[in-house]
Amino acid sequence: MSTEPMPTDGIDVILTHERTDFDALASLLGASLLYPAALPVLPARMNRNVRDFVALYRNQFPFVHARELPRQPINRIILVDTRSANLPKGVRGETTWYVIDHHTPTPDASPQWGQSQVKHWHEPVGANATMLIEKLMRQPIDLTPVQATLLALGIHEDTGSLTYATATARDARCLAWLMERAQGVNLEVLHQFLRHPLSEPQRALLDQLIEQSEFLTIAGHTVVIAQADAPGFDDELSTLVHRLRDVHECDAVFLIVRLDELVQVVARSVTDDIDVGAAARALGGGGHTRAAAAPVRHLSAPQLRDRIVELLSAHTQPAVTVRHIMTSGRPQVLAPDLRIEEAHLLMRRYGHEGFPVVAQAGEPDEALLGVLTRREADRAMNHGLGQRPVRQFMQVGPDGNPVTVRPSDSIHVLRRAMIESGWGQIPVVDEAGKIIGIVTRTDLIKLWDEDVPPERHAAEIDHRLRATLAPAQLALLQRVGQAVEAMDFAAFVVGGFVRDLLLNSGSLRLNTLDVDIVIEGDAIVFAQRIQDQFGGRIVTHKRFGTAKWILDDVTQPVRWGQLLPTLPFVATSGPPDGIPPHLDFVTARTEFYTAPTVLPTVELSNIKLDLHRRDFTINTLAFSLNPDRWGELLDFFGGHNDLRQGLVRVLHSLSFVDDPTRILRAVRYEQRFGFTIEPRTLELLHDAVELVERVSPARIRHELERILQEATPERALGRLDALGVLQHVHSALTVDEWVEAQFVRLRTALQQPDVEPTLAREPIERLYWGILTLRLPGADHSALTERLGLRGETKRLMNGLHQLRAAKSSLRNPAITPSQVVELLEHVDDVALALYRVLAIDPAVAELVRRYRDEWQPVQPLLTGADLQQMRLPPGPIYGRILARLRAARLDGQLSTRDEEEALARAIAQEAVNGTRSRS
């Protein structure tokens, strides 16, 4: 045990707050074990269960009362689980303070400290005792069972036995350590004092509080404020606030109890959305987000009630309701007379666990009858009852009616409906009882990972849009939302735009980034309506329910003054600055695959199923454009959390089997954003990699070209190579350090002001293809061209580079002449020559390429075919040979004048004549 000498000119004391709970008492003990020279002082008022514990076991602890302190100056005060306490005699200006407190620190100093030296120790843990126990775990201190039990009581009481949101893994580790000590924690004593029965005064006060409970709705939360007068009451209030919350099943409770000399406020919350700690601090008290208290001396109970309501308005975030997690739009429903086997097939096709059963679907008198669950459908099929109608197996609520919820219902109401019915999916109905959506267990579970209310997401989205988009772009999206609302449709921006907006990766502009707008309703009907209202031209694709609204067609111009009336336009002949050339509207749809690697079958659906068909969770995010839900983030599949954690995750285990091109996209996103492919997703990728060989050439080429359009494609290609994916595209494809270096060299060259125009005009992905295939043999060129269906320009570039590679040995001959260089290079694609020169693979050859393009390629003989006719040379193929010989001689410096060319031309012609005679 550590020891400290007792000061001769003063003492150290350990203090905590009045109305002491077990965490405060345990902190007194923990501090006394760490600082044995300091005296732990019991407060005058302790909670009843704490007081009873001390009465039984005080002789096991070094606690003293303030009256028992020696009459000496106090050198140091160690405050535990609080920032202030009742001070004993002996405090002086020289007294130093050591504050050990797990509550959220505040910037203001306690008035008790004065100008004294203060040292703080704060840790974000559930119980204050945890901080001290962690120190004890590193000390050679032997705890007695009673000491271990008190320390465990402190953690259990302040963390709700690890059930409060403030509980941490550190609290759990400390509890485990205490139980592992030689004789451990006495669980019977633990149970006795954590489940302390109410005293008669407590029961009487609880009845009064229940009778005088006021129910308030604040930001969608149910809050109870209970008031009572209790003069002479000297018992624990914290137990009563828990009992009251259990009685009312509310989101937060505030007790306002008038005692003799003050009004005591005690508050508890079941959600971080209601910060009772902030409210208590504003009243002069303190605590956690979910548990707090404050003694108030200068306000009456009615004034205090009004002040609490005011503070709650400032420190309460909006509640999550069914509307925020439901799948909006009409779900797929079953007719009561549909055969079970048909319903079962629909469940297997869409992966749903149940469907609402509706009579007279789509008619004015349609009626919800019940729900057919997957479990009941499976049981019917297993018993050979597939021909029976759905109505025989559908489920209804305990009262014989369907179980439903409304969009405004709280999550608590939804949970209760699911528990009581046992249904995994609950229909959502409007005031008239019409089905407007569905909510599932999965939607409920998603809330576990959600720490930001939807309205705060909406505010964040709105802020990002205003900071990112030009005024006309923002106004255009708002106008689309208004037009959709007028048709009783819903519109959502989905996919990459939302992902990049949340990542804030670069400067987004609608005219440089595809914006997909999904319509719950009919996108084609909507596009036709908006065209009728504001002009423009639309192009529709009825099979897929898509429409493109052309905004820059001068033959059918948009009436911008009507479309965006709030914006002043200088020019009216074309779109305002920042407006994209078109907007794409897509009807919400779902899809299913009939076999691996084939294109999917598409059907109309709702936004949730539309998002479910996408490749990765980070691409399933959407936000609403409707005015009443503007900016509200839809995150059904945990995409926002994966964005924060930097993970690429598929939505289901057959994702890569359904579409193996997602393998290439997974790697592209991973490398673009510096993310990591989630472990299970990586395992699924490995399992499906061989299916890449079965994908059509056009689809594989498209994905590879998308990779080659990335800022640093060598990273994704290198990753694909390491994962063995490229080998399943074509066995000869590989990416090594040489390829990576050449990619970088190419980009560097293209950024130079004197870059060759020939290269600058080429799509960079085509140039990358040239580098990737430069070292491949000719046979592999042909096979790769066939496998990927490469286009003519790419093939010419690849062939040109192959010709250069084949001519390399000849070009490296020191005796080679300019005319021989020209003969080797004049049929090589010009882009291939420019690329080869930039790459500087072989400096000597690159120099010859440079001279060929700069000096020798333009060289031509002075004589032309017409000149040869005037010289009366016999016409024929001989002209081509003469001109070629003349050019070669001029290139090699053998000719310099016209007369010399004429002489050589006549000599070549005479040679041809002599040769003909000799053969005859």
Side-chain angles (χ1 to χ4, degrees):
M1 180 179 295
S2 63
T3 59
E4 291 187 7
M6 178 67 73
T8 58
D9 59 344
I11 59 173
D12 292 352
V13 296
I14 307 170
L15 305 178
T16 190
H17 57 81
E18 295 296 306
R19 301 195 179 278
T20 311
D21 57 13
F22 271 119
D23 190 29
L25 189 69
S27 298
L28 278 179
L29 172 62
S32 70
L33 292 172
L34 291 172
Y35 308 101
L39 299 175
V41 181
L42 287 171
R45 287 168 298 189
M46 294 179 283
N47 288 343
R48 184 167 58 87
N49 57 345
V50 175
R51 189 170 64 241
D52 291 350
F53 181 88
V54 171
L56 284 174
Y57 302 108
R58 181 185 168 185
N59 64 341
Q60 301 292 316
F61 304 105
F63 302 143
V64 299
H65 289 290
R67 63 179 178 272
E68 298 170 342
L69 289 174
R71 294 185 177 181
Q72 295 184 32
I74 295 177
N75 294 326
R76 178 171 62 163
I77 294 175
I78 302 173
L79 276 181
V80 293
D81 199 34
T82 185
R83 288 160 47 87
S84 62
N86 286 341
L87 300 182
K89 295 179 180 180
V91 179
R92 51 185 177 164
E94 294 80 10
T95 300
T96 61
W97 297 70
Y98 186 18
V99 181
I100 304 173
D101 188 15
H102 71 133
H103 297 101
T104 303
T106 55
D108 55 313
S110 170
Q112 291 185 327
W113 302 341
Q115 301 300 315
S116 301
Q117 179 183 352
V118 182
K119 178 181 178 183
H120 294 272
W121 174 18
H122 166 76
E123 299 282 350
V125 289
N128 200 75
T130 294
M131 301 163 57
L132 299 157
I133 295 168
E134 287 178 333
K135 288 264 190 179
L136 292 173
M137 291 166 65
R138 298 190 288 270
Q139 300 275 345
I141 296 176
D142 293 325
L143 296 179
T144 67
V146 178
Q147 290 173 332
T149 300
L150 174 55
L151 293 170
L153 278 167
I155 296 177
H156 273 285
E157 188 176 73
D158 231 37
T159 66
S161 295
L162 302 180
T163 63
Y164 295 166
T166 51
T168 68
R170 293 167 62 181
D171 300 298
R173 281 193 290 270
C174 286
L175 279 176
W177 180 79
L178 291 170
M179 296 185 70
E180 290 168 353
R181 305 305 293 163
Q183 299 181 50
V185 174
N186 189 317
L187 298 180
E188 184 178 346
V189 173
L190 201 70
H191 177 79
Q192 174 188 354
F193 286 95
L194 289 175
R195 301 290 183 268
H196 218 48
L198 295 182
S199 65
E200 284 298 332
Q202 283 180 313
R203 281 197 292 269
L205 181 56
L206 179 60
D207 290 341
Q208 188 183 163
L209 290 166
I210 292 173
E211 184 70 22
Q212 300 184 42
S213 292
E214 176 186 8
F215 290 80
L216 303 173
T217 299
I218 298 178
H221 299 280
T222 301
V223 179
V224 169
I225 298 179
Q227 302 184 47
D229 289 330
F233 183 84
D234 193 28
D235 211 332
E236 177 190 359
L237 290 173
S238 59
T239 299
L240 299 185
V241 75
H242 287 293
R243 296 289 181 96
L244 196 63
R245 201 212 67 78
D246 291 340
V247 168
H248 293 313
E249 294 186 338
C250 53
D251 297 315
V253 172
F254 278 78
L255 302 190
I256 303 175
V257 180
R258 176 170 292 282
L259 302 176
D260 292 320
E261 75 283 8
L262 55 80
V263 178
Q264 183 66 42
V265 176
V266 183
R268 296 293 185 271
S269 168
V270 297
T271 171
D272 289 343
D273 292 340
I274 306 174
D275 189 350
V276 298
R281 286 191 292 274
L283 295 172
H288 302 296
T289 302
R290 298 194 181 193
V296 181
R297 299 179 184 276
H298 304 297
L299 292 176
S300 66
Q303 290 173 327
L304 190 51
R305 179 261 180 208
D306 293 343
R307 177 63 173 147
I308 288 173
V309 173
E310 179 185 331
L311 291 170
L312 280 171
S313 299
H315 297 291
T316 300
Q317 298 295 337
V320 178
T321 64
V322 169
R323 180 175 70 86
H324 296 120
I325 65 171
M326 64 183 276
T327 300
S328 300
R330 183 175 178 83
Q332 191 161 9
V333 299
L334 305 178
D337 295 326
L338 186 74
R339 295 196 305 270
I340 282 288
E341 62 183 8
E342 297 176 83
H344 194 257
L345 178 62
L346 291 172
M347 291 178 180
R348 289 167 50 200
R349 172 178 293 177
Y350 299 112
H352 293 346
E353 292 301 311
F355 288 104
V357 181
V358 174
Q360 304 297 323
E363 300 297 327
D365 57 345
E366 105 174 7
L368 175 65
L369 302 179
V371 167
L372 179 69
T373 67
R374 178 66 177 268
R375 180 173 59 185
E376 298 304 317
D378 286 342
R379 289 175 62 187
M381 293 297 294
N382 290 338
H383 286 87
L385 303 176
Q387 297 296 315
R388 299 286 184 90
V390 162
R391 69 168 66 249
Q392 294 186 7
F393 298 93
M394 70 183 187
Q395 293 190 343
V396 295
D399 60 355
N401 294 314
V403 177
T404 62
V405 292
R406 294 184 178 179
S408 59
D409 283 339
S410 68
I411 298 304
H412 174 73
V413 170
L414 173 61
R415 287 196 185 104
R416 190 162 52 198
M418 286 187 172
I419 291 170
E420 292 176 356
S421 68
W423 299 2
Q425 48 284 130
I426 305 291
V428 184
V429 299
D430 60 15
E431 296 297 328
K434 179 183 177 182
I435 299 179
I436 58 173
I438 199 158
V439 61
T440 69
R441 286 194 188 103
T442 302
D443 298 326
L444 202 54
I445 292 171
K446 293 295 182 186
L447 286 176
W448 293 7
D449 295 328
E450 185 57 72
D451 56 1
V452 180
E455 280 78 3
R456 287 172 62 187
H457 277 315
E460 178 189 2
I461 293 289
D462 182 67
H463 172 75
R464 288 176 179 267
L465 287 172
R466 293 179 186 279
T468 301
L469 303 182
Q473 295 171 337
L474 182 64
L476 179 61
L477 288 182
Q478 292 172 328
R479 193 62 161 169
V480 168
Q482 294 164 4
V484 162
E485 184 81 7
M487 297 182 67
D488 201 22
F489 289 173
F492 306 90
V493 174
V494 303
F497 180 86
V498 186
R499 177 199 66 219
D500 293 342
L501 188 71
L502 290 171
L503 284 174
N504 197 22
S505 58
S507 178
L508 299 176
R509 287 293 181 266
L510 287 182
N511 58 350
T512 61
L513 187 68
D514 289 336
V515 176
D516 292 327
I517 298 177
V518 172
I519 305 292
E520 274 191 342
D522 190 320
I524 294 177
V525 171
F526 170 72
Q528 290 169 340
R529 175 74 64 85
I530 206 168
Q531 180 196 32
D532 291 342
Q533 288 180 308
F534 306 114
R537 181 168 63 89
I538 63 169
V539 178
T540 63
H541 195 310
K542 291 186 177 181
R543 179 186 173 192
F544 293 105
T546 63
K548 188 184 295 290
W549 187 24
I550 311 298
L551 302 175
D552 62 352
D553 191 332
V554 295
T555 64
Q556 293 179 264
V558 173
R559 296 183 290 277
W560 293 108
Q562 296 179 24
L563 180 61
L564 305 177
T566 60
L567 296 181
F569 299 126
V570 176
T572 58
S573 59
D577 290 343
I579 292 296
H582 61 82
L583 282 181
D584 292 315
F585 303 116
V586 182
T587 304
R589 60 187 193 253
T590 188
E591 60 189 28
F592 58 91
Y593 291 80
T594 57
T597 76
V598 302
L599 292 174
T601 299
V602 177
E603 294 182 356
L604 302 186
S605 185
N606 55 42
I607 184 62
K608 183 176 182 179
L609 292 179
D610 187 278
L611 295 173
H612 184 263
R613 69 186 177 83
R614 297 173 188 272
D615 46 14
F616 308 107
T617 59
I618 59 174
N619 291 332
T620 63
L621 297 166
F623 66 81
S624 174
L625 293 180
N626 289 54
D628 64 333
R629 298 179 63 184
W630 170 262
E632 185 175 303
L633 184 68
L634 275 65
D635 181 15
F636 298 110
F637 309 106
H640 198 197
N641 191 50
D642 283 343
L643 270 185
R644 289 193 294 256
Q645 296 188 35
L647 295 176
V648 178
R649 186 196 309 271
V650 291
L651 275 73
H652 56 86
S653 58
L654 292 179
S655 183
F656 293 130
V657 174
D658 288 342
D659 185 0
T661 64
R662 290 172 176 166
I663 292 174
L664 283 76
R665 291 204 293 279
V667 171
R668 173 157 60 89
Y669 291 132
E670 177 192 50
Q671 298 304 311
R672 176 197 293 179
F673 299 123
F675 283 9
T676 301
I677 296 177
E678 179 263 338
R680 174 58 178 160
T681 299
L682 189 60
E683 181 182 342
L684 295 171
L685 184 153
H686 283 298
D687 292 343
V689 69
E690 293 181 357
L691 292 175
V692 170
E693 299 174 9
R694 296 166 57 180
V695 179
S696 67
R699 296 182 67 211
I700 284 289
R701 182 188 69 243
H702 174 74
E703 292 298 334
L704 287 173
E705 287 179 346
R706 294 291 299 273
I707 289 174
L708 292 174
Q709 290 165 357
E710 293 287 316
T712 53
E714 63 274 11
R715 293 171 54 187
L717 291 172
R719 175 77 158 140
L720 288 171
D721 196 10
L723 292 172
V725 178
L726 288 186
Q727 286 66 39
H728 289 283
V729 175
H730 189 276
S731 57
L733 271 181
T734 186
V735 176
D736 53 18
E737 292 182 359
W738 182 88
V739 170
E740 294 174 355
Q742 295 303 335
F743 274 33
V744 173
R745 183 186 292 272
L746 172 62
R747 288 197 298 273
T748 301
L750 292 175
Q751 292 169 359
Q752 302 306 311
D754 58 346
V755 60
E756 291 197 38
T758 303
L759 289 182
R761 289 191 296 267
E762 287 293 305
I764 193 169
E765 60 268 26
R766 187 177 299 156
L767 302 177
Y768 283 139
W769 269 121
I771 296 173
L772 277 172
T773 59
L774 178 59
R775 297 177 296 174
L776 299 184
D780 287 334
H781 272 213
S782 301
L784 189 61
T785 298
E786 181 179 355
R787 171 68 184 96
L788 299 178
L790 294 176
R791 299 180 178 88
E793 298 88 342
T794 305
K795 288 192 288 187
R796 283 194 293 273
L797 173 60
M798 291 168 55
N799 290 335
L801 291 170
H802 180 65
Q803 289 175 276
L804 276 169
R805 188 164 176 259
K808 183 176 178 180
S809 58
S810 298
L811 292 169
R812 289 177 61 87
N813 185 349
I816 193 168
T817 63
S819 63
Q820 292 171 326
V821 172
V822 170
E823 184 178 1
L824 289 169
L825 301 184
E826 64 182 343
H827 299 296
V828 176
D829 178 70
D830 201 42
V831 178
L833 290 172
L835 178 60
Y836 196 92
R837 177 184 169 189
V838 162
L839 299 180
I841 299 167
D842 184 314
V845 173
E847 175 60 17
L848 290 178
V849 169
R850 183 196 67 78
R851 296 194 67 185
Y852 164 73
R853 300 185 75 239
D854 295 347
E855 302 175 23
W856 301 331
Q857 188 180 32
V859 172
Q860 296 295 331
L862 298 176
L863 298 181
T864 64
D867 294 328
L868 297 182
Q869 283 183 323
Q870 290 181 0
M871 293 170 59
R872 301 187 181 279
L873 297 180
I878 187 64
Y879 276 24
R881 294 198 297 273
I882 291 173
L883 293 175
R885 290 271 301 273
L886 292 178
R887 185 188 183 201
R890 181 170 284 279
L891 283 166
D892 294 338
Q894 297 170 356
L895 300 174
S896 57
T897 66
R898 184 182 181 89
D899 291 341
E900 290 173 337
E901 284 192 12
E902 290 179 353
L904 180 56
R906 289 190 175 90
I908 295 169
Q910 187 60 49
E911 288 176 4
V913 171
N914 294 338
T916 301
R917 289 174 178 172
S918 64
R919 285 193 297 274
S920 60

